[in-house]
């Protein structure tokens, strides 16, 4: 995978946005952001600060709880955000980028930032065709608090030829358009584990769950009931769910979608 | 019972405590939140006025010795308390309106655009949340009179010059399109500042005398003149908004009031479906307002381009533009001829247009700039890219940065006409699904807001 040079980057930027090979980086606030083989990216103004989650830990079973585990903050340009020692925050680049179909990217911490023991990315790979501001997993691994100034350079974008010859017909929705830092989109572990042949997984609150077995049991039990009785069961489950007695992420409730 | 000096001291302490509670809120506002500079200005003013009030009442009862003097102080305390109770209503909504809970980029863009009117080059607006689903302006003459009464008593600062107060629905903090209605509220500021009510009122009254003579009692004439002056204000604010931000205001208006429900299955105005929408009441009717907005759109060159937009919103605008004065009514149950009342108002409408031209002298129409960038902005949005740096020509590294009016109108046009084009590029996205459309409409607004923010940075730097 060869790194794109400044000349190649410029050639891509000269292409209309409708062409699959085109590259967009905006806003470019000065030509000095371009190095021979990289582009400096600045820190944006929005942050997601981890906070004590509603549950004792972040549980992929509970996507709602994941969203509640962050505090959204805005630090306008000119102001600063203090990241305490050994703390993390999600930020985003000020620049919105559109990668060509045949180019991947990698975002690296600027060396001047890294030497303050700040890390801005733990998932640095950017897929071809990505478009959006990049979410940065910023960690202050130093022993002192550090002030972050939105608008200042924080990372370097390196672009690489991906060796893809044909652009896809459509874009994947998950790669299109974030402007703010994004909380993780966690997926239900049961689905992922089933794909590798595991029927059971251990839920932090409910113990071992065999979704298929449970589904079969519930379906079998429901089959014994007449439609009116089935509706009564569903109504009871909804009452429990609406009153918080049955958490919405309980796999049993997934069998009776609202 | 305690003596008068003690009673006054007690009441002063009570007022002091009340004012402290407001000043403390303004001073110790959430340090994690950021505010627009206009909000900061408002809070600073309240803090200063609060301090002056506290300093003043702290001296009570001072060197007074006579019962009448003590009773005067009690009156002052009552006046001050009433004044602060009035200000109190705005403090929390303004504090809650930090930059995370306002469409900050759009607001800054709108204020900058407003300041392009030379007379208002230094005007600012503090934005606060309202519980109602409505946009509103605080009547500055009432607010200022009340605040300055406090200032006069306590020798505090008067209400800042050139500061307007606008409320937006709290739920619309991230909406771009709906907030295109904010310029209407800016129009109220201009209407008051330019003394247009005092100009329209005598003209309206004269028309009523000419058209109705003694049919209206003096009291009724005052009431009808008040109502018609209010209509003229609403109309002026609509026209002002269109002049400021182009057709994006009209599209937002149609969206907010669901005015397009007046159309039949062929996209034509249906008398049955538009029942009541052409009748004047507390406000001029929606269809009348849209018709007058269309007149500004024609005058400012937007109309020929707008009518090519394939949207039921635009069908409605076209249908309203075709309506005649006789299509509008004014339901009254009195013996007075309603047609004559309406006629009196319609006679003043040209004056509203001429005042619009007068107050917006020096404001460039946004049409030409929009026309140059519109196709490109829409193409960028179609490809899911923030349209802040538009490639000027293939093969060259030159970029154009669309202005606020251009971005708003292109983006709104894209939203009502071409959202399907964007969705068609996305795998597994169903353009027929309402939820999906809502998601991508939201993204279009986010990208446009980001572009507004980017362009303000790019223009500040003067760099492509």
């Amino acid at each position: 995978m060869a790194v794109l040079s400044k000349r190649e980057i410029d050639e891509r930027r000269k292409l209309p946005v409708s062409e699959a090979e085109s590259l967009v980086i905006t806003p470019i606030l000065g030509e000095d952001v371009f190095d021979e083989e990289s582009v400096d990216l600045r820190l944006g103004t929005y942050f997601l600060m981890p906070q004590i989650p509603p549950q004792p830990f972040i549980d992929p079973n509970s996507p709602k709880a994941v969203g509640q585990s962050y505090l959204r903050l805005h630090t306008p340009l000119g102001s600063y955000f203090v990241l305490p020692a050994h703390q993390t925050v999600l930020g985003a680049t000020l620049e919105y980028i559109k990668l060509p179909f045949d180019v991947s990217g990698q975002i690296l911490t600027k060396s001047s930032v890294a030497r303050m023991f700040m890390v801005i990315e733990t998932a640095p790979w950017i897929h071809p065709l990505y478009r959006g501001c990049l979410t940065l997993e910023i960690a202050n691994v130093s022993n002192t608090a550090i002030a972050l100034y939105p608008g200042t350079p924080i990372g370097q974008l390196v672009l690489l030829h991906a060796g893809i010859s044909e652009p896809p017909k459509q874009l994947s929705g998950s790669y299109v358009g974030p402007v703010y830092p994004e909380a993780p989109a966690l997926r239900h572990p049961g689905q992922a584990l089933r794909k590798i042949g595991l029927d059971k997984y251990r839920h932090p609150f409910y113990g071992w769950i065999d979704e298929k077995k449970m589904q079969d049991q519930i379906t079998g039990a429901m089959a014994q009931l007449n439609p009116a009785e089935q509706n009564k069961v569903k109504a009871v489950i909804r009452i429990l769910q609406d009153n918080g007695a049955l958490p919405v992420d309980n796999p049993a409730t997934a069998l009776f979608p609202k | 019972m305690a003596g008068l000096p003690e009673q006054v001291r007690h009441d002063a302490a009570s007022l002091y405590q009340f004012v402290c509670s407001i000043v403390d809120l303004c001073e110790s506002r959430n340090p994690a939140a950021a505010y627009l500079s206009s909000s900061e200005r408002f809070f600073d003013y309240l803090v200063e006025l609060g301090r002056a009030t506290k300093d003043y009442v702290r001296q009570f009862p001072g060197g007074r010795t006579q019962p009448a003097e003590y009773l005067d102080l009690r009156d002052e305390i009552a006046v001050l308390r009433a004044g602060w109770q009035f200000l109190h209503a705005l403090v929390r909504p303004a504090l809650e309106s930090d930059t995370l809970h306002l469409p900050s980029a759009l607001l800054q863009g709108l204020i900058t655009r407003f300041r392009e009117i030379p007379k208002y080059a230094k005007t600012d607006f503090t934005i606060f949340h309202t519980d109602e689903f409505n946009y509103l302006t605080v009547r500055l003459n009432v607010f200022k009179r009340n605040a300055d009464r406090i200032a006069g008593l306590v020798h505090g600062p008067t209400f800042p010059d050139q500061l307007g107060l606008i409320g937006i629905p709290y739920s619309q903090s991230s909406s771009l399109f709906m907030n295109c209605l904010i310029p209407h509220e800016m129009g109220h500021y201009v209407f008051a500042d330019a003394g247009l009510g005092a100009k329209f009122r005598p003209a309206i009254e004269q028309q009523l005398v000419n058209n109705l003579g003694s049919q209206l009692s003096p009291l009724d004439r005052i009431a009808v003149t008040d109502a018609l002056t209010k209509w003229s204000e609403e109309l002026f604010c609509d026209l002002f908004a269109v002049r400021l931000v182009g057709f994006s205001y009209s599209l937002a208006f149609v969206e907010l009031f669901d005015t397009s429900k007046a159309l039949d299955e062929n996209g034509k105005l249906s008398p049955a479906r538009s029942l009541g929408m052409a009748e004047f009441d507390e406000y001029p009717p929606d269809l009348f307002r849209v018709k007058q907005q269309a007149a500004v759109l024609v005058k400012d060159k937007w109309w020929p381009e707008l009518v090519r937009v394939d949207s039921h919103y635009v069908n409605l605008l076209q249908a309203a533009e075709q309506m005649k004065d006789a299509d509008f009514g004014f339901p009254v149950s009195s013996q007075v001829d309603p047609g004559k009342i309406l006629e009196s108002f319609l006679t003043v409408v040209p004056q509203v247009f001429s005042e619009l031209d007068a107050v917006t002298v020096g404001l460039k129409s946004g049409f030409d700039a929009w026309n140059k960038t519109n196709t490109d902005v829409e193409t960028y949005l179609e490809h899911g890219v923030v349209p802040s740096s538009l490639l000027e020509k293939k093969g060259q590294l030159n970029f154009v940065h669309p202005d606020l009016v251009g971005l708003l109108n292109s983006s709104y046009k894209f939203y009502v006409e071409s959202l399907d084009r964007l969705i068609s590029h996305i795998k597994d996205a169903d353009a027929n699904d309402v939820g999906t459309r809502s998601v991508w409409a939201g993204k279009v607004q986010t990208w446009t807001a980001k572009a507004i923010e980017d362009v303000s940075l790019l223009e500040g730097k003067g760099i492509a």
Side-chain angles (χ1 to χ4, degrees):
Chain A
M1 271 192 176
V3 172
L4 264 70
S5 66
K6 165 85 166 66
R7 187 184 57 76
E8 287 173 302
I9 289 172
D10 282 348
E11 289 305 319
R12 299 290 188 137
R13 290 178 65 221
K14 288 177 189 172
L15 296 174
V17 70
S18 52
E19 292 188 14
E21 296 86 354
S22 67
L23 166 71
V24 177
I25 305 172
T26 184
I28 295 290
L29 300 169
E31 287 298 314
D32 57 345
V33 297
F34 291 101
D35 206 339
E36 266 317 300
E37 68 294 293
S38 68
V39 187
D40 282 354
L41 298 182
R42 296 167 195 271
L43 180 62
T45 57
Y46 289 89
F47 298 92
L48 287 178
M49 188 78 181
Q51 59 180 1
I52 297 171
Q55 293 176 350
F57 44 83
I58 293 177
D59 175 13
N61 288 291
S62 182
K64 199 173 162 192
V66 173
Q68 291 167 345
S69 302
Y70 295 91
L71 177 68
R72 194 161 172 243
L73 296 170
H74 179 227
T75 305
L77 294 174
S79 191
Y80 62 87
F81 171 86
V82 173
L83 186 59
H86 311 297
Q87 295 289 311
T88 54
V89 69
L90 292 178
T93 58
L94 187 70
E95 292 81 4
Y96 189 98
I97 68 170
K98 173 208 172 251
L99 288 192
F101 81 95
D102 55 349
V103 171
S104 347
Q106 195 168 8
I107 179 146
L108 311 169
T109 309
K110 265 187 83 68
S111 58
S112 54
V113 175
R115 286 171 199 180
M116 291 196 297
F117 298 99
M118 291 263 297
V119 181
I120 67 156
E121 269 294 346
T122 46
W125 194 255
I126 311 158
H127 293 274
L129 285 173
Y130 177 88
R131 49 207 72 192
C133 296
L134 298 167
T135 293
L136 306 172
E137 300 102 34
I138 304 171
N140 176 3
V141 294
S142 77
N143 292 323
T144 54
I146 295 175
L148 301 175
Y149 280 84
T152 57
I154 194 163
Q156 279 178 310
L157 176 67
V158 176
L159 299 167
L160 304 108
H161 293 282
I164 300 169
S165 53
E166 282 288 319
K169 287 198 173 98
Q170 287 183 304
L171 300 168
S172 164
S174 57
Y175 288 139
V176 181
V179 163
Y180 308 115
E182 296 211 311
L186 298 178
R187 292 192 172 82
H188 199 284
Q191 293 168 358
L193 294 173
R194 253 199 314 277
K195 280 186 183 170
I196 57 168
L198 289 171
D199 289 334
K200 293 200 297 183
Y201 69 94
R202 193 174 161 210
H203 191 283
F205 297 132
Y206 313 124
W208 284 99
I209 289 177
D210 184 335
E211 282 186 23
K212 185 161 186 325
K213 187 176 164 193
M214 186 171 62
Q215 190 161 6
D216 290 346
Q217 284 175 338
I218 292 175
T219 309
M222 291 290 276
Q224 309 282 323
L225 307 174
N226 65 41
E229 289 168 333
Q230 287 182 7
N231 285 338
K232 281 182 191 168
V233 171
K234 288 178 187 173
V236 169
I237 286 176
R238 276 188 199 127
I239 290 168
L240 291 172
Q241 200 175 331
D242 290 345
N243 288 284
L246 196 57
V248 289
D249 61 311
N250 186 314
T253 63
L255 296 171
F256 303 104
K258 281 189 177 183
Chain B
M1 189 172 79
L4 267 179
E6 287 73 29
Q7 289 177 30
V8 167
R9 201 175 287 118
H10 172 90
D11 293 351
S14 167
L15 172 65
Y16 188 93
Q17 197 178 18
F18 172 50
V19 175
C20 275
S21 65
I22 298 177
V23 172
D24 288 352
L25 275 175
C26 293
E27 271 187 320
S28 59
R29 51 191 177 266
N30 181 1
Y35 292 93
L36 294 177
S37 61
S38 52
S39 296
E40 297 280 2
R41 196 173 158 199
F42 180 60
F43 297 135
D44 291 347
Y45 157 73
L46 287 176
V47 168
E48 271 189 59
L49 186 65
R51 282 183 188 150
T53 307
K54 283 159 57 185
D55 289 346
Y56 184 67
V57 299
R58 187 182 280 141
Q59 300 163 17
F60 281 16
R64 279 79 164 186
T65 54
Q66 300 303 310
E69 291 178 314
Y70 291 127
L71 295 177
D72 284 348
L73 287 183
R74 268 191 166 166
D75 287 343
E76 280 191 23
I77 289 170
V79 168
L80 290 172
R81 190 187 295 276
W84 275 100
Q85 282 171 353
F86 188 83
L87 299 179
H88 177 269
L90 271 188
V91 174
R92 187 182 58 86
L95 281 167
E96 286 177 355
S97 307
D98 58 52
T99 52
L100 262 186
H101 299 96
L102 284 180
S104 309
L106 174 68
L107 286 172
Q108 283 175 326
L110 287 174
I111 291 170
T112 304
R113 170 72 174 152
F114 183 85
R115 288 177 175 174
E116 287 174 22
I117 304 171
K119 188 182 174 193
Y120 298 114
K122 290 185 177 168
T123 301
D124 228 335
F125 291 93
T126 298
I127 312 293
F128 58 91
H129 284 175
T130 67
D131 289 341
E132 289 175 53
F133 192 83
N134 199 8
Y135 290 79
L136 57 90
T137 294
V138 172
R139 294 275 169 196
L140 269 188
N141 54 352
V142 178
F143 192 88
K144 191 171 160 53
R145 188 167 61 235
N146 181 74
D148 290 353
R149 189 182 299 143
I150 299 174
L153 276 175
V154 304
H155 312 294
T158 54
F159 186 74
D161 285 337
Q162 301 181 53
L163 182 64
L165 300 167
I166 291 177
I168 69 168
Y170 68 85
S171 60
Q172 296 307 296
S173 59
S174 59
S175 164
L176 187 88
F177 296 142
M178 209 45 81
N179 285 317
C180 288
L181 295 167
I182 290 171
H184 174 98
E185 305 308 322
M186 293 173 153
H188 282 293
Y189 177 90
V190 173
F191 189 90
D193 181 75
L196 297 182
K199 286 186 183 174
F200 294 149
R201 196 181 167 81
I204 289 167
E205 196 164 10
Q206 187 57 52
Q207 287 303 326
L208 287 171
V209 170
N210 294 348
N211 289 328
L212 289 156
S214 59
Q215 281 186 58
L216 275 178
S217 70
L219 272 180
D220 282 346
R221 195 166 67 230
I222 291 171
V224 175
T225 306
D226 281 347
L228 269 54
T229 306
K230 193 174 173 192
W231 291 355
S232 68
E233 178 168 356
E234 288 304 319
L235 176 60
F236 171 83
C237 295
D238 279 348
L239 306 184
F240 178 82
V242 174
R243 170 84 22 110
L244 203 67
V245 295
F247 63 72
S248 57
Y249 173 75
S250 297
L251 298 182
F253 183 95
V254 172
E255 187 159 344
L256 178 71
F257 295 110
D258 279 319
T259 321
S260 56
K261 69 177 183 247
L263 298 173
D264 65 16
E265 64 275 22
N266 300 312
K268 305 288 179 202
L269 205 58
S270 154
R273 296 190 57 77
S274 60
L275 209 61
M277 291 173 72
E279 290 189 344
F280 283 75
D281 202 338
E282 191 182 349
Y283 290 95
D286 293 350
L287 291 173
F288 179 83
R289 292 172 69 176
V290 172
K291 174 181 163 62
Q292 303 305 326
Q293 291 168 35
V296 178
L297 291 169
V298 170
K299 191 170 183 186
D300 291 357
K301 300 196 289 185
W302 295 96
W303 193 251
E305 294 298 324
L306 178 59
V307 294
R308 288 161 54 187
V309 176
D310 181 14
S311 160
H312 58 296
Y313 288 11
V314 176
N315 291 346
L316 186 277
L317 290 173
Q318 284 180 283
E321 197 260 345
Q322 295 293 318
M323 290 177 79
K324 306 280 180 280
D325 287 348
D327 296 331
F328 298 100
F330 179 29
V332 285
S333 53
S334 72
Q335 293 152 348
V336 177
D337 179 356
K340 293 285 184 192
I341 291 180
L342 192 53
E343 192 183 318
S344 305
F345 174 66
L346 293 175
T347 314
V348 180
V349 167
Q351 194 182 339
V352 178
F353 277 83
S354 58
E355 290 296 344
L356 173 73
D357 289 341
V359 296
T360 54
V361 163
L363 180 72
K364 271 208 268 184
S365 161
F367 172 79
D368 291 331
W370 169 79
N371 205 24
K372 276 182 197 157
T373 58
N374 175 53
T375 307
D376 287 340
V377 169
E378 290 199 57
T379 306
Y380 274 66
L381 291 173
E382 180 187 337
H383 289 89
V385 178
V386 166
S388 51
S389 300
L390 313 174
L391 187 72
E392 203 167 9
K393 193 176 175 189
K394 183 176 179 176
Q396 292 180 6
L397 266 187
N398 294 327
F399 297 92
V400 175
H401 311 301
D403 64 10
L404 173 85
V405 179
L407 282 167
L408 287 180
N409 287 282
S410 296
S411 180
Y412 220 136
K413 177 176 177 291
F414 182 82
Y415 159 60
V416 299
E417 187 180 45
S418 309
L419 198 59
D420 288 25
R421 268 166 42 202
L422 165 63
I423 297 174
S424 72
H425 292 298
I426 311 300
K427 203 167 147 188
D428 299 331
D430 178 6
N432 296 318
D433 178 67
V434 171
T436 302
R437 296 188 77 82
S438 166
V439 165
W440 290 97
K443 292 204 181 206
V444 167
Q445 295 180 76
T446 309
W447 299 333
T448 309
K450 170 73 174 143
I452 293 170
E453 208 169 85
D454 285 356
V455 171
S456 76
L457 269 177
L458 288 158
E459 285 180 344
K461 293 274 182 183
I463 296 167

